[in-house]
């Protein structure tokens, strides 16, 4: 049985004080909640402050990206060492917004995953197709390419440490959620791919999150699907009430 996992991706929102308030609100409501793993991914500038708020609780901290090198002349990048120093245990890698706006490729996704693993952080690897790709019947081809390029060369030991998030691009921030059966179809495909390429044991353990307009009202139905193990939540993670309700409705 895979434990539900709900991650909040705050994207480029919140000042440090907004982030502290949001984290405090979530902590107040969920401090004794152990039935799901809970992750907050604030912007880099708020990591240390949020880390202090959630210290000694079951709520974990993650970054929204990670550099592929440990240190050096890489202006603007943040390494695994720095993230761990801020209290991070997870890093989101390959989010579609990074692929679309910042030139993230499957190759750089792979390098970032390797760096996260080497640095002792859990990568949350995002994959997903655009609306155009879905309408051209390319969904499976696109997801396969992202998996091959992103995680295809991981050892079984490495692959057992990752989380995958299926995030159809057309459902992110649009209010359009994939129907549970649509998401399940892709989650099942991803688990099958991991089983074929890595191992059935790895596939059995792998947590696959769904992301794309997750809300308190739709998480229950999504979680009923066999291969959906949690959610990567954007917009609805920015309000205490909606994020807390999503977490509570996920079990
Ligand atoms: C996301 O940030 O990964 C996301 C899925 O956003 P939203 O929940 O707002 O669609």
């Amino acid at each position: 049985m895979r434990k539900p996992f709900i991650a909040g991706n705050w994207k480029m929102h919140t000042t440090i004080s907004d982030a502290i308030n949001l984290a405090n609100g979530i902590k107040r409501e969920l401090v004794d909640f152990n039935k799901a793993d809970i992750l907050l991914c604030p912007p880099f500038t708020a990591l240390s402050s949020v880390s202090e708020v959630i210290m000694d609780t079951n709520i974990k901290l993650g970054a929204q990206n990670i550099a592929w090198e440990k240190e050096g002349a890489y202006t603007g990048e943040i390494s695994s060492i720095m993230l761990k120093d801020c209290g991070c245990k997870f890093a989101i890698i390959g989010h579609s917004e990074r692929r679309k706006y910042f030139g993230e490729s499957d190759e750089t996704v792979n390098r970032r995953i390797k760096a996260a693993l080497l640095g002792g952080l859990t990568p949350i690897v995002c994959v997903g197709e655009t609306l155009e790709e879905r309408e051209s019947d390319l969904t499976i081809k696109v997801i396969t390419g992202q998996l091959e390029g992103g995680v295809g060369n991981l050892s079984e030991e490495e692959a057992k440490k990752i989380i995958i998030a299926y995030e159809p691009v057309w459902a992110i921030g649009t209010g359009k959620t994939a129907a549970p059966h649509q998401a399940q179809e892709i989650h099942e495909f991803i688990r099958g791919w991991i089983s074929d390429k890595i191992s059935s044991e790895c596939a059995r353990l792998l947590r696959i999150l769904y992301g794309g307009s997750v809300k308190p009202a739709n998480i229950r139905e999504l979680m009923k699907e066999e291969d959906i193990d949690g959610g990567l939540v954007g917009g609805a993670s920015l309000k205490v009430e909606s994020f807390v309700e999503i977490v509570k409705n996920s079990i």
Side-chain angles (χ1 to χ4, degrees):
M1 183 56 187
R2 297 176 293 266
K3 191 173 180 184
F5 189 108
I6 303 292
N9 173 15
W10 296 1
K11 309 195 186 190
M12 199 172 70
H13 295 289
T14 70
T15 60
I16 294 174
S17 65
D18 295 337
I20 291 173
N21 288 339
L22 182 53
N24 263 317
I26 291 167
K27 174 171 125 174
R28 226 174 353 257
E29 298 292 326
L30 294 173
V31 71
D32 295 322
F33 193 89
N34 288 312
K35 292 185 181 151
D37 286 329
I38 304 162
L39 177 70
L40 306 183
C41 300
F44 291 126
T45 46
L47 285 173
S48 292
S49 309
V50 171
S51 173
E52 279 176 35
V53 173
I54 61 178
M55 193 175 290
D56 299 326
T57 73
N58 55 327
I59 304 170
K60 300 191 175 61
L61 188 69
Q64 298 174 21
N65 193 13
I66 183 170
W68 56 73
E69 294 292 345
K70 276 201 282 202
E71 63 176 353
Y74 298 98
T75 303
E77 289 290 299
I78 313 278
S79 74
S80 60
I81 296 169
M82 296 165 182
L83 295 177
K84 274 177 62 183
D85 199 32
C86 293
C88 284
K89 298 232 166 4
F90 294 78
I92 298 172
I93 299 176
H95 191 282
S96 63
E97 287 151 15
R98 295 223 56 89
R99 293 179 190 262
K100 180 172 175 193
Y101 302 122
F102 302 102
E104 194 77 72
S105 67
D106 294 330
E107 191 210 328
T108 55
V109 165
N110 180 253
R111 294 178 76 185
R112 293 185 203 279
I113 293 169
K114 294 267 187 186
L117 290 168
L118 205 63
L121 292 153
T122 300
I124 300 178
V125 183
C126 302
V127 297
E129 81 288 1
T130 62
L131 185 59
E132 206 183 356
E133 288 161 348
R134 174 160 281 261
E135 287 176 344
S136 312
D137 266 337
L138 292 172
T139 302
I140 293 297
K141 187 165 179 242
V142 169
I143 304 291
T144 304
Q146 291 171 339
L147 290 172
E148 294 275 4
V151 304
N153 64 359
L154 299 188
S155 66
E156 183 181 14
E157 200 193 330
E158 288 173 325
K160 278 185 176 166
K161 294 184 185 143
I162 71 169
I163 290 174
I164 292 181
Y166 168 57
E167 298 209 302
V169 179
W170 48 273
I172 298 179
T174 59
K176 282 186 206 153
T177 319
H181 75 272
Q182 273 179 318
Q184 165 59 24
E185 193 181 307
I186 306 304
H187 282 232
E188 188 180 355
F189 171 77
I190 293 171
R191 201 178 301 288
W193 188 92
I194 292 285
S195 181
D196 290 348
K197 299 283 166 168
I198 313 273
S199 74
S200 55
E201 171 70 354
C202 184
R204 191 178 64 78
L205 296 172
L206 177 71
R207 285 191 285 187
I208 308 177
L209 315 182
Y210 166 78
S213 300
V214 170
K215 300 180 209 76
N218 58 29
I219 187 71
R220 239 190 258 281
E221 290 305 308
L222 287 160
M223 292 299 290
K224 281 186 190 158
E225 298 292 341
E226 164 112 22
D227 292 294
I228 300 182
D229 306 310
L232 179 52
V233 187
S237 70
L238 291 168
K239 291 263 180 306
V240 173
E241 305 71 37
S242 50
F243 186 69
V244 167
E245 225 184 310
I246 289 171
V247 172
K248 290 186 174 165
N249 289 353
S250 74
I251 56 165

